[in-house]
Amino acid sequence: MPPTALLAAVLGTLGAGMGLSLGLVFNVRLARHARYPVLASLVNFLVAFVVTSLLALAGLLGSSRFPAHAPLWVFGGGLVGVVYVTLTLFTARALGVAASTAGVTLGQILGARLIDAFGLLGQQPRSVSGPDILGVLLLFLAVALLARERSGATS
């Protein structure tokens, strides 16, 4: 991969991660107004449905068609999205946005490594490496430090 493409990919993932943190703040504020995190999650997905529907109607999806012949399990991403948004609404109130986001990132890395290590869901198996373990440990430490800071404890 050319260095510029690699840089663009890294910046894109950083932007996506920052977007998740920003979205979490929006959703936490929405949950305060809605009084119930699950209702805020529903509103979140209604807005997403309307926006993606408008994009589809505007023809911005290209010549795509609904994947009617795809196996049912591939539609699980929507369920995962609902669980993610709803759980983060509960955890962000207790942990704060930084610790909650770091915890989500740790969960993503752990899940990705399990999927890769065992070749789950059709992924090519990839063994766990030393840097993988070190990265998980460092991120776990970050989650612990951020959560401890939120609880008011000092070192």
Side-chain angles (χ1 to χ4, degrees):
M1 176 179 284
T4 54
L6 180 60
L7 178 61
V10 169
L11 292 176
T13 59
L14 291 174
M18 291 174 74
L20 285 176
S21 297
L22 182 61
L24 179 56
V25 172
F26 289 150
N27 290 331
V28 167
R29 297 287 187 242
L30 179 61
R32 280 191 193 152
H33 289 284
R35 296 190 188 144
Y36 297 98
V38 175
L39 179 57
S41 182
L42 173 64
V43 171
N44 174 314
F45 284 98
L46 286 174
V47 170
F49 175 77
V50 168
V51 170
T52 54
S53 295
L54 291 173
L55 291 173
L57 289 172
L60 297 176
L61 300 181
S63 61
S64 61
R65 61 182 176 83
F66 188 80
H69 298 294
L72 285 178
W73 69 267
V74 301
F75 295 97
L79 177 62
V80 171
V82 169
V83 171
Y84 163 76
V85 169
T86 305
L87 283 177
T88 57
L89 284 173
F90 284 102
T91 61
R93 288 192 310 188
L95 298 176
V97 174
S100 181
T101 301
V104 165
T105 304
L106 175 58
Q108 286 177 303
I109 290 172
L110 289 172
R113 289 310 302 129
L114 287 170
I115 290 168
D116 281 350
F118 295 104
L120 302 176
L121 303 171
Q123 292 300 111
Q124 184 69 30
R126 186 174 80 79
S127 61
V128 177
S129 67
D132 291 330
I133 295 169
L134 179 61
V136 166
L137 291 174
L138 289 171
L139 192 48
F140 179 81
L141 180 62
V143 171
L145 289 172
L146 289 166
R148 180 182 167 133
E149 175 189 1
R150 176 66 177 209
S151 72
T154 56
S155 42

